[in-house]
Structures are given as structure tokens and as C-alpha cells.
Amino acid sequence: MEVTSVVQLDQTKAKDEYPNLSLRPLQVSDVDDFMVWASDEKNYIKNIVVPHPWLRAICIDDRPVGAISVSANSGNDKCRGELGYVLASKYWGKGIVTRAVKMVVDTIFVEWPHLERLEALVDVENVGSQRELEKAGFQREGVLRKHFIVKGRSRDRVMFSFLSTDYQS
């Protein structure tokens, strides 16, 4: 099943320097733009991105400047999904991630009706990303100490969540 939906932000709510911000599925033809903000090998798009169940390019004027995804769980954990995103540093601090996260929240609970909880894990030192999630309505739940390793060093992460009931309220 190929998902071809494009999510547009209601322009009456957002007036800023990026009025043409949208989310859409990444395509193999996006490889050049993708490589500007990602350092993975070119076949990453074909083998990982395109078949991903819910991964969208964050686009400005239909050119990818980042990506946002929801990873599904299975079995007893299928009620939870994990949100992830990446954005070219040139666009940091402009509210783009907050808008993209809101766009995901506006669609994911409809597209995946089994989903009850959307989670996001953020490095404890990434205050900007934490702020973006809070602006998008996510709740900070707590710190997971020594939760992952980066460059041989244990790191803490902050757990955020957005519930389907949060969206409906």
C-alpha cells in the first residue's frame, strides 16, 4: 500500500516566513535534497525511507529539509508509536518542528485508529527539541537515566507523550 497523502498546515493559523510548509512521503527522486540534511548512504531512501510505514519529508516549497516519522509497535505494545524527526540545522529555531509535530498529531490518530499514545524520546541536553514538543502539546513524563549510548557515553533521555484523548479534548 503506497501512501501519497500530503499534509498542509491551515494557513489561517500560521503566518510566517515558511507559508508553504508541508509533509509528504519521501521519494527516491528526493535523494539530492535529502543528502543536504542527512549523511546516510543514498540507498537509505530506497531501502529504509520509502518502505517505512509512516515517514514524511518536512518540505518547504516542496523541497525536503527534514523528515518526521512515527514508528509502530506490535503485540501488546501496538497502542504506542514513537515519534522521531530530523531537520537541517539551517531551519532550527524557526518553529518548523513544532508545526510538523502538530501536523502529525492532526493525522496519525485518524490514520492509525489503534494508536492511543505517541511517544518521543529526547536527549536530556536537547532543550530546543523538548521545547518544540511541549509547544506541540506533548506532556513531559520524566527522565530515563542512562537510557542510550552515544560515542561510548551513557546518556539520559526525557520521555514525552501525546495521547489520542489529548487530541480529542
Side-chain angles (χ1 to χ4, degrees):
M1 177 175 81
E2 183 177 316
V3 179
T4 57
S5 64
V6 174
V7 180
Q8 295 281 337
L9 182 66
D10 180 356
Q11 295 302 314
T12 61
K13 295 179 186 174
K15 304 251 189 270
D16 61 28
E17 63 183 298
Y18 299 106
N20 296 324
L21 183 70
S22 64
L23 303 180
R24 66 166 170 76
L26 279 168
Q27 303 161 356
V28 175
S29 61
D30 290 328
V31 71
D32 291 334
D33 291 324
F34 177 89
M35 293 309 293
V36 170
W37 51 267
S39 60
D40 295 309
E41 297 177 19
K42 289 186 179 186
N43 66 8
Y44 180 79
I45 285 184
K46 182 179 179 185
N47 297 332
I48 304 296
V49 172
V50 173
H52 191 285
W54 210 99
L55 190 147
R56 304 292 182 267
I58 299 172
C59 299
I60 295 175
D61 294 323
D62 204 37
R63 296 204 59 195
V65 297
I68 192 163
S69 67
V70 177
S71 297
N73 289 308
S74 60
N76 291 338
D77 293 323
K78 70 180 180 182
C79 64
R80 295 185 295 117
E82 186 172 336
L83 178 73
Y85 46 82
V86 62
L87 186 69
S89 59
K90 170 182 175 180
Y91 298 99
W92 291 0
K94 300 180 184 303
I96 291 171
V97 168
T98 299
R99 288 178 55 196
V101 169
K102 287 179 179 180
M103 294 162 96
V104 170
V105 167
D106 284 347
T107 61
I108 196 64
F109 294 111
V110 173
E111 290 182 25
W112 290 4
H114 65 279
L115 197 67
E116 296 179 34
R117 175 184 170 90
L118 189 56
E119 299 175 340
L121 293 165
V122 181
D123 187 293
V124 73
E125 293 181 8
N126 190 343
V127 178
S129 190
Q130 293 176 47
R131 211 170 20 250
E132 298 276 7
L133 288 167
E134 288 170 339
K135 287 180 193 174
F138 276 66
Q139 299 296 313
R140 179 188 174 113
E141 295 186 335
V143 175
L144 303 173
R145 299 180 305 153
K146 297 193 181 293
H147 191 253
F148 72 118
I149 296 174
V150 175
K151 298 180 181 175
R153 189 172 145 229
S154 294
R155 307 282 304 149
D156 296 347
R157 281 186 174 158
V158 181
M159 171 67 81
F160 287 86
S161 71
F162 193 101
L163 305 180
S164 59
T165 53
D166 296 339
Y167 176 70
Q168 295 169 356
S169 57

